[in-house]
Amino acid sequence: MDSQTSQPSQASQSPHSFQVDLRGLVDLLSHHLYSSPKVYLRELLQNAVDAITARRAEQPDAPALVRLCAEDGTLRVEDSGIGLTEEDVHSLLATIGRSSKRAEGLESARSDFLGQFGIGLLACFVVAERIRVVSRSARTPDVPPVEWTATDDGSYRVRTLPPGARAEPGTTVYLEARPGAADWLAGERVLALARDFGSLLPYDVRVGDEAVTDLPAPWDRSYPGPAARRVALARHCHDLFGFTPLDSIELNVPLAGIRGVAYVLPSAVSPARRAGHRVHLKGMLLTERAEQLLPDWAFFVRCVLDTDSLRPTASRESLYEDETLAGVREVLGERIRSWLTGLAAGDPERLAAFLSVHHLGVKSLARHDGEMLRTMLPWLPFETTDGRLSLEEFAQRHPVVHFTRTVEEYRQVAQIASAQGVGVVNGGYTYDTELVEALPSVRPGTVVAELDADTVTAHLDAVDPAVELALSAFLGAARAKLDPLGCDVVLRAFHPLSVPALHLDDRAARHEQARADAEEQADDLWAGILGSLRGTAPRARLVLNHLNPLIRRIGSLDDRELIGTAAESLYGQALLMAQRPLRPADSALLNRAFMGLLEWATHDDPPEEGHR
């Protein structure tokens, strides 16, 4: 066919069919590839932007305009781009999924761009039942315009138009809505989608008379000073994400082709929560749910950025996991790390405000990063027997930094250890044990030791042997009563005086008790197996405080049954003080002891004076 003629050829007039199952393709696009029909507008904008970019590569002074007009279930998108010839139409619109390696023509020019014109345009069938394209090539302006019309049954027609049908180079796309999809082509929705997708596009894009682009980006603008910049970025974050950030972190990485900002969340979030970040690719919004953009530890920020280096997936709604993305992730993580160290060096008030909310994220980073741990050591808060302190301050106060691995163990010993002058860090919270154990690596000479029941008992004062011998009958009765519970009874003197008894055990003792409980309830076979696993771990112990007046009075009893009831009561009270979870046997013991004490207190015949 002579492409110079202004009359449509017979070949152009005859209907053609797409070289794919169009209905199947639309189903694939709408249900499997794209997350929402709204992406049709992104594809139209991308086609227009790529066409303008291609034209400006050859004609730098060419106009750069994209105009959208929506009315009555139709949408018109016009651009001043490179335009199409009839050959381009057949090549780019009719054949879907073909990869051309030609070094000439429009396909080669588009190889460096984000979009793929054919698949991008056919994606509009998700919302349209008919698509019409009128285009005039800027490369061959003497060639008349070409019209391509396609319907959702998979057929299309191509014809050349009179020269006056389109005077200037460029392309106009007309969409007619599918039944039930007219809302997607309504003016207000088109404007909202265009602004969401195209606010950072480098060209003049408008819906009717409304501007879509908003350049320069907030992070690229000039401000009177740092405070004004911080306020402006905070307003941008609120408009974009719906929260006012604690702070803003610049993400300017020219070598990686990245410009943007990370906003620090104002409230704590779970480390398991993956934040969604907004990523623009060459100005076009690619995704607002990019989860793999930052290291896992940086869960306390939300990012918005523009890049020209990252690779999109087939749907262009997420990022392709490759070496480039891994490198960008590392660089962005380093920027956030540098921001933290900068706060530590020059703005302790802002750092303290940040750590009061997000200390968990910094601890997650510090456990794998010795330099970050060293930097944050004076700032990271830990629960200790001296109050909420940093490890640095705590280590300065105590020659040995004792810690527990669980919150349960800490609650069990904290009050007593503090009274004895033993400093203990609660390592039961996320990452805390790892950080305490890493302390000597960044603070040479620091002694770190896990606190166990033997260590606590060793710090309690022993009772005079003569006194303990005089109380041997009392102690024997108490031990006999608690022996079935796997608990020994010892007598010590310690502060505070208000604590009558202390329940101490360790993980090995709890494991042995759990094994014994399981053995008791198992059948003969399993009982034998569990019995063979019996360990030599020390048993739990109930430490009675000889300085406590109540213990002294109970020690004077000579009623063996009453001593047993008192021992059970002290055991149950010590469990509750330690906030230990109660086993069924422990609950039964508490009920039994309570009822026994009530019965003793309301007995008709009061006990003799010596029994009081």
Side-chain angles (χ1 to χ4, degrees):
M1 182 184 69
D2 183 3
S3 61
Q4 304 295 324
T5 181
S6 62
Q7 298 299 319
S9 67
Q10 291 299 316
S12 301
Q13 290 284 356
S14 60
H16 302 266
S17 295
F18 293 106
Q19 297 179 19
V20 296
D21 175 7
L22 183 59
R23 294 186 184 277
L25 176 62
V26 171
D27 179 73
L28 175 67
L29 296 175
S30 60
H31 293 102
H32 302 286
L33 187 62
Y34 295 136
S35 61
S36 167
K38 69 180 183 181
V39 298
Y40 87 92
L41 193 65
R42 182 196 65 195
E43 300 294 345
L44 288 174
L45 286 176
Q46 192 64 63
N47 286 339
V49 168
D50 284 352
I52 293 172
T53 301
R55 183 177 181 185
R56 283 205 153 185
E58 301 177 6
Q59 305 171 18
D61 296 331
L65 307 175
V66 181
R67 296 292 183 263
L68 297 89
C69 180
E71 55 184 15
D72 300 329
T74 64
L75 175 64
R76 184 180 78 250
V77 181
E78 184 172 1
D79 68 67
S80 58
I82 193 70
L84 301 170
T85 64
E86 184 173 351
E87 181 183 358
D88 293 330
V89 168
H90 285 291
S91 176
L92 294 176
L93 300 178
T95 305
I96 307 303
R98 189 176 77 180
S99 176
S100 175
K101 301 299 182 182
R102 293 186 304 166
E104 58 183 6
L106 188 60
E107 291 186 13
S108 176
R110 296 181 57 83
S111 63
D112 292 332
F113 306 146
L114 177 61
Q116 293 296 323
F117 193 93
I119 192 68
L121 190 58
L122 291 189
C124 295
F125 277 120
V126 172
V127 297
E129 66 175 359
R130 186 170 181 268
I131 301 174
R132 185 165 71 96
V133 177
V134 176
S135 187
R136 185 166 194 160
S137 174
R139 285 202 179 94
T140 53
D142 54 335
V143 173
V146 61
E147 178 189 69
W148 174 87
T149 304
T151 57
D152 59 1
D153 63 1
S155 64
Y156 70 93
R157 290 180 181 272
V158 179
R159 66 185 183 121
T160 55
L161 300 177
R166 183 179 178 96
E168 297 296 328
T171 300
T172 304
V173 179
Y174 303 85
L175 302 186
E176 295 180 14
R178 300 169 64 89
D183 286 348
W184 288 107
L185 273 61
E188 290 186 3
R189 175 166 282 193
V190 168
L191 177 61
L193 292 177
R195 283 177 170 167
D196 193 38
F197 285 121
S199 62
L200 301 184
L201 290 175
Y203 304 133
D204 182 5
V205 182
R206 295 178 180 272
V207 177
D209 295 328
E210 299 287 339
V212 168
T213 52
D214 185 20
L215 295 175
W219 50 83
D220 286 330
R221 296 173 189 171
S222 298
Y223 298 95
R229 181 179 184 84
R230 190 175 298 122
V231 170
L233 289 178
R235 186 181 305 113
H236 173 252
C237 176
H238 188 273
D239 293 341
L240 196 63
F241 294 123
F243 66 85
T244 300
L246 285 178
D247 207 348
S248 304
I249 307 170
E250 301 286 344
L251 299 179
N252 181 16
V253 190
L255 291 178
I258 287 176
R259 289 285 298 167
V261 62
Y263 293 116
V264 182
L265 294 168
S267 56
V269 294
S270 168
R273 175 185 172 187
R274 303 300 298 270
H277 308 291
R278 286 178 65 95
V279 176
H280 296 256
L281 189 54
K282 301 175 183 176
M284 182 70 72
L285 178 65
L286 180 71
T287 179
E288 50 192 352
R289 297 188 303 275
E291 296 181 350
Q292 69 274 46
L293 186 66
L294 296 181
D296 290 342
W297 55 262
F299 56 83
F300 49 83
V301 298
R302 293 280 300 276
C303 292
V304 53
L305 55 84
D306 188 24
T307 176
D308 58 15
S309 63
L310 298 178
R311 178 181 168 193
T313 59
S315 67
R316 300 204 292 280
E317 293 188 288
S318 59
L319 297 171
Y320 189 81
E321 185 66 53
D322 57 12
E323 292 183 359
T324 302
L325 179 57
V328 166
R329 183 162 49 235
E330 183 177 348
V331 171
L332 295 183
E334 182 58 39
R335 287 302 168 95
I336 297 173
R337 183 187 289 107
S338 298
W339 169 78
L340 284 171
T341 55
L343 288 186
D347 201 338
E349 289 186 2
R350 285 170 66 198
L351 178 63
F354 166 76
L355 289 178
S356 68
V357 178
H358 295 299
H359 58 273
L360 199 58
V362 180
K363 286 181 177 180
S364 173
L365 170 60
R367 66 196 176 115
H368 297 305
D369 189 324
E371 185 59 35
M372 180 56 64
L373 177 58
R374 188 177 292 105
T375 301
M376 292 290 109
L377 201 57
W379 307 101
L380 288 174
F382 289 79
E383 183 180 358
T384 78
T385 49
D386 291 355
R388 197 160 181 81
L389 300 174
S390 70
L391 286 182
E392 174 69 26
E393 186 176 357
F394 187 82
Q396 291 173 357
R397 296 184 182 186
H398 298 277
V400 178
V401 178
H402 289 100
F403 71 95
T404 62
R405 292 188 180 274
T406 68
V407 174
E408 182 181 272
E409 292 171 353
Y410 177 81
R411 290 171 177 169
Q412 182 176 254
V413 302
Q415 185 179 17
I416 305 303
S418 178
Q420 308 308 309
V422 180
V424 184
V425 177
N426 184 356
Y429 296 114
T430 306
Y431 311 131
D432 283 8
T433 290
E434 297 172 76
L435 293 175
V436 174
E437 291 180 323
L439 189 56
S441 67
V442 297
R443 196 178 190 275
T446 303
V447 179
V448 172
E450 183 176 356
L451 188 70
D452 56 22
D454 289 336
T455 303
V456 177
T457 305
H459 280 81
L460 306 180
D461 294 334
V463 177
D464 185 272
V467 173
E468 189 163 2
L469 181 62
L471 295 174
S472 59
F474 162 74
L475 293 174
R479 286 167 180 153
K481 194 68 174 179
L482 297 183
D483 183 71
L485 296 172
C487 183
D488 292 332
V489 177
V490 296
L491 188 65
R492 293 289 188 274
F494 56 87
H495 293 274
L497 301 180
S498 59
V499 177
L502 175 66
H503 182 272
L504 291 177
D505 64 0
D506 53 27
R507 278 167 292 150
R510 288 196 293 275
H511 292 164
E512 174 61 19
Q513 184 60 53
R515 186 209 58 77
D517 292 343
E519 179 182 357
E520 185 177 340
Q521 299 176 13
D523 57 28
D524 291 343
L525 174 61
W526 281 108
I529 295 174
L530 292 170
S532 67
L533 298 176
R534 183 180 294 111
T536 59
R539 305 206 308 167
R541 66 201 71 172
L542 182 68
V543 184
L544 302 180
N545 186 3
H546 186 58
L547 300 180
N548 181 269
L550 176 61
I551 295 298
R552 288 177 177 269
R553 289 198 297 271
I554 294 176
S556 66
L557 297 173
D558 58 12
D559 184 327
R560 193 173 181 85
E561 183 177 348
L562 184 55
I563 291 174
T565 300
E568 289 183 328
S569 299
L570 291 168
Y571 173 83
Q573 187 259 356
L575 286 180
L576 295 176
M577 276 188 58
Q579 302 182 45
R580 290 285 305 280
L582 300 179
R583 300 171 298 167
D586 297 330
S587 299
L589 174 145
L590 282 171
N591 291 331
R592 183 170 64 248
F594 178 72
M595 297 304 296
L597 290 177
L598 280 180
E599 184 176 346
W600 176 77
T602 58
H603 200 279
D604 291 339
D605 297 324
E608 296 179 6
E609 187 66 24
H611 290 185
R612 292 186 183 275

